[in-house]
Amino acid sequence: MLSSLRIRHIGVIDDALLEFGPGFTALTGETGAGKTMIVTGLGLLLGGRLDRGRTTTASAVDGTLELTGHTALQDALDELGAEADDGEVIISRRVTKDGRSRAQIGGVPVPIGTLARLVGSAVTLHGQADQLRLRDADAQREALDDFDAGTVRPLREAHAELWRRRRDLEERRRRALALHQERDRTEAALSAALTRLEEIDPQPGEEQQVRADLERLGHAVELRAGSERASLALIGEDAPSVGSLLDIAQESLRGPAAVDDALAPALERIESLRLEVSDLAADLSRYAQDVDASPARLDAANERLHELTALVRDLGPVLGGADDLEGLLEASRTAAADLERFAGAEAELADAEQEIRRIDEELEVAAGHLTAARHAAAEVLAGAVQDELAHLEMPAASVRVDVLEAPAREHGRDEVRILLAPHPGADHLPVATAASGGELSRVMLALEVALGERRTDHGAAAPVFVFDEIDAGIGGRAALAVGQRLARLAQHAQVIVVTHLPQVAAHATTHLQIVKTAEDGVTRSTVRALDADQRVPELARMLAGDASSERALAHAEELLADAQQRGADE
């Protein structure tokens, strides 16, 4: 239930607080007093936009919504982290003069779309231009499902669960098919790459080694000549060498060392140097002999380097984009695992498709049960709405609720159309086009009354209905009938009505008057709650335009008494 609404700086309303009753609240006032601004404020809480011309400063709307029975809404607010106090949540909307907007629910900032979705789950705004239940196919289907929720909703949820499972299976099938197609594209390439790697058999670090060999082979003559000269310098016979000089030094110290032991260490070091020089010269000589300067060896190294380079160039894109030999060898180690993964794709695809076929059979059965339940509910709903229309001075109207086949979706394969023949002999057409403005409002009211009684039967939370100009284009007995049916609807929901008809306002349990005042050339409006005595002159004003007319006052008292008696009888 919407317990209160505060509006600031919207049109002629500077600051107004409205406290609604739990049943039927009527909003009345003179033309231009600001009744439309009340609806505009409520619309802002439902995500509507504000005409910039309606305010010269920032506008604000705050509403207090009781959450009792609105389990889904409470869960959504808990997920947002919104604060609720004693089962109530504060909803706020701020709009600046330049059109910037902010919204909060329970102190948590939310996008306008989220505001509309959450508040709209509890509050429905009906106006001449937005009879959504009568214009939108999805809303008409929801209305039918709500009407027989005890039967239809379990069947619909069973269908939705199967639909979600099929959607998951379809995603599984899509992944398996993509893997299967990828296998077709890459399996042969991977197998060929691994075969070529096995044939060439590159080794870790081989490319660097081959490049080092090529560097050495390119300088083979220089390497051989240098090592040979170095060997001769150490122990050569044709010219003085390190070895021959060490021999002289050794012979020179041998005799003195025999006389003085102090020279013995020096002699030992010279002998050690002589042996080291001989070994070094031998190593250099062997190195010179091993240097291969043959063109065949150079060609072989160049060929191996080309082979390794081509391997990286050709197989790199196939094996994960490797750009060197080390990366190629690393990628090859995971390629075998990729082939195993591809091997299971065909079996996974077959399993998914088999499961989809099985669940399609279950969906067909579930959709059939759901369609049958909707057909049965549609016949009863049409009768209930038609009965209500008889109470609303449309006894000759004929209502038909058609359940037509439509593309399958989560909620089933049905499209629901509420059709109206406003008088005998007329074709049944969608109510949005078959009914006049006043008839459209009454059809919508008849639908809500029929739904409201069933909603109570199924234990659903009582919604909030806001009706703007539902009585436009009607009067007399029809207006009185609308007031009576609104009162009946208020037994199962909270009803807030902006009206200019006393026959409607008389049935309200809470009566709020929008009062217009003019001061210093500025018009302002406020809202006041009327007690029983204050309601009589307001109804008299609505009846005759004169709140002091004795005849109008008597008629107003009669209207109130009759409405109260009818309420007591029901």
Side-chain angles (χ1 to χ4, degrees):
M1 146 176 170
L2 189 64
S3 57
S4 68
L5 182 73
R6 186 179 183 187
I7 300 175
R8 284 171 288 176
H9 307 305
I10 297 182
V12 296
I13 297 179
D14 188 51
D15 192 344
L17 176 63
L18 296 85
E19 294 183 334
F20 303 111
F24 181 1
T25 298
L27 294 170
T28 65
E30 295 180 3
T31 301
K35 297 189 296 295
T36 301
M37 299 302 99
I38 303 296
V39 177
T40 298
L42 284 164
L44 286 176
L45 294 186
L46 290 165
R49 302 181 66 179
L50 179 63
D51 183 352
R52 296 182 187 179
R54 295 197 182 277
T55 181
T56 58
T57 183
S59 301
V61 182
D62 299 290
T64 304
L65 184 66
E66 292 186 8
L67 299 174
T68 304
H70 294 284
T71 304
L73 177 57
Q74 285 179 313
D75 292 342
L77 295 179
D78 289 342
E79 188 174 339
L80 281 174
E83 297 179 0
D85 186 13
D86 292 332
E88 294 184 335
V89 65
I90 303 298
I91 307 156
S92 302
R93 180 87 182 273
R94 304 287 183 271
V95 182
T96 63
K97 172 60 178 174
D98 57 5
R100 289 177 297 174
S101 177
R102 296 192 305 274
Q104 288 188 342
I105 298 180
V108 177
V110 294
I112 301 304
T114 301
L115 177 79
R117 176 174 56 84
L118 294 179
V119 179
S121 68
V123 180
T124 300
L125 175 60
H126 284 297
Q128 286 285 318
D130 55 356
Q131 311 285 12
L132 291 182
R133 283 198 195 275
L134 304 184
R135 298 180 185 275
D136 182 75
D138 287 342
Q140 293 184 37
R141 187 196 64 250
E142 289 293 332
L144 177 62
D145 290 355
D146 286 343
F147 180 72
D148 194 9
T151 301
V152 175
R153 289 292 180 182
L155 294 173
R156 174 170 161 171
E157 184 52 41
H159 183 278
E161 176 59 27
L162 289 170
W163 185 271
R164 289 188 289 268
R165 285 166 55 191
R166 192 196 189 284
R167 184 177 57 205
D168 293 342
L169 282 169
E170 186 61 35
E171 176 60 21
R172 175 182 160 195
R173 189 195 75 85
R174 187 194 63 76
R175 290 195 301 267
L177 179 61
L179 196 61
H180 188 270
Q181 293 171 341
E182 184 182 356
R183 184 201 67 178
D184 292 343
R185 292 192 303 269
T186 63
E187 186 176 32
L190 281 176
S191 298
L194 293 176
T195 300
R196 185 173 172 188
L197 272 172
E198 187 176 353
E199 291 173 351
I200 295 177
D201 192 26
Q203 301 300 312
E206 183 180 2
E207 184 178 357
Q208 291 80 0
Q209 183 61 47
V210 171
R211 292 186 183 279
D213 288 346
L214 282 171
E215 181 69 16
R216 187 168 57 254
L217 289 169
H219 297 80
V221 174
E222 181 182 347
L223 294 172
R224 177 184 291 177
S227 57
E228 287 177 344
R229 286 196 300 270
S231 177
L232 290 174
L234 293 173
I235 58 171
E237 297 179 353
D238 297 338
S241 63
V242 175
S244 62
L245 293 175
L246 288 172
D247 289 340
I248 294 172
Q250 185 178 11
E251 288 300 324
S252 298
L253 282 180
R254 196 180 301 280
V259 176
D260 188 352
D261 292 341
L263 293 174
L267 181 60
E268 291 177 0
R269 292 172 66 187
I270 291 173
E271 290 174 347
S272 178
L273 283 171
R274 182 65 177 85
L275 291 173
E276 180 66 22
V277 166
S278 297
D279 288 344
L280 182 56
D283 290 344
L284 289 170
S285 179
R286 284 193 295 272
Y287 175 84
Q289 293 173 4
D290 290 341
V291 170
D292 187 355
S294 66
R297 177 73 183 276
L298 183 62
D299 289 346
N302 275 317
E303 184 176 346
R304 183 60 175 176
L305 180 61
H306 174 73
E307 194 172 40
L308 295 176
T309 302
L311 196 67
V312 174
R313 181 196 64 209
D314 297 342
L315 301 189
V318 179
L319 296 175
D323 56 3
D324 57 30
L325 186 61
E326 300 304 315
L328 197 67
L329 292 173
E330 179 63 28
S332 71
R333 285 188 277 272
T334 62
D338 287 340
L339 288 176
E340 292 179 4
R341 179 169 61 90
F342 291 144
E346 188 168 357
E348 175 71 8
L349 180 60
D351 288 347
E353 289 178 340
Q354 181 179 359
E355 189 68 13
I356 286 174
R357 287 192 294 272
R358 184 189 65 78
I359 212 144
D360 279 345
E361 294 175 358
E362 294 185 34
L363 270 171
E364 182 68 21
V365 173
H369 290 326
L370 183 55
T371 297
R374 282 175 171 152
H375 275 293
E379 186 174 349
V380 180
L381 175 60
V385 174
Q386 193 158 317
D387 289 345
E388 288 298 323
L389 287 176
H391 290 291
L392 290 168
E393 300 300 318
M394 294 179 65
S398 172
V399 176
R400 197 175 79 204
V401 180
D402 287 351
V403 179
L404 308 174
E405 186 173 351
R409 289 193 286 171
E410 184 172 343
H411 52 69
R413 61 187 182 192
D414 306 317
E415 178 183 339
V416 175
R417 293 181 182 175
I418 301 176
L419 307 175
L420 173 71
H423 51 79
D427 293 333
H428 284 83
L429 299 173
V431 290
T433 57
S436 65
E439 290 172 335
L440 189 64
S441 296
R442 280 181 280 171
V443 173
M444 178 273 300
L445 178 57
L447 176 63
E448 296 296 11
V449 172
L451 290 173
E453 294 181 349
R454 284 299 189 97
R455 187 182 297 111
T456 301
D457 293 342
H458 300 139
V464 180
F465 292 118
V466 180
F467 295 100
D468 179 28
E469 297 185 2
I470 188 173
D471 48 18
I474 62 174
R477 292 177 54 185
L480 187 62
V482 167
Q484 293 168 355
R485 304 326 281 176
L486 285 169
R488 184 167 181 174
L489 177 60
Q491 296 174 6
H492 315 289
Q494 182 187 23
V495 176
I496 301 170
V497 179
V498 177
T499 181
H500 65 279
L501 292 181
Q503 297 95 326
V504 172
H507 289 83
T509 51
T510 300
H511 192 155
L512 302 179
Q513 181 186 23
I514 296 93
V515 181
K516 179 173 63 174
T517 60
E519 185 177 346
D520 297 330
V522 178
T523 300
R524 291 284 182 265
S525 291
T526 58
V527 177
R528 67 170 181 163
L530 303 181
D531 60 24
D533 292 336
Q534 292 169 328
R535 292 184 69 184
V536 173
E538 172 62 5
L539 292 177
R541 180 198 63 77
M542 297 171 72
L543 282 164
D546 183 359
S548 62
S549 166
E550 292 185 6
R551 182 175 296 180
L553 288 169
H555 191 182
E557 289 178 348
E558 182 182 351
L559 273 178
L560 275 176
D562 183 64
Q564 291 168 358
Q565 183 60 48
R566 286 181 177 275
D569 292 342
E570 292 186 1

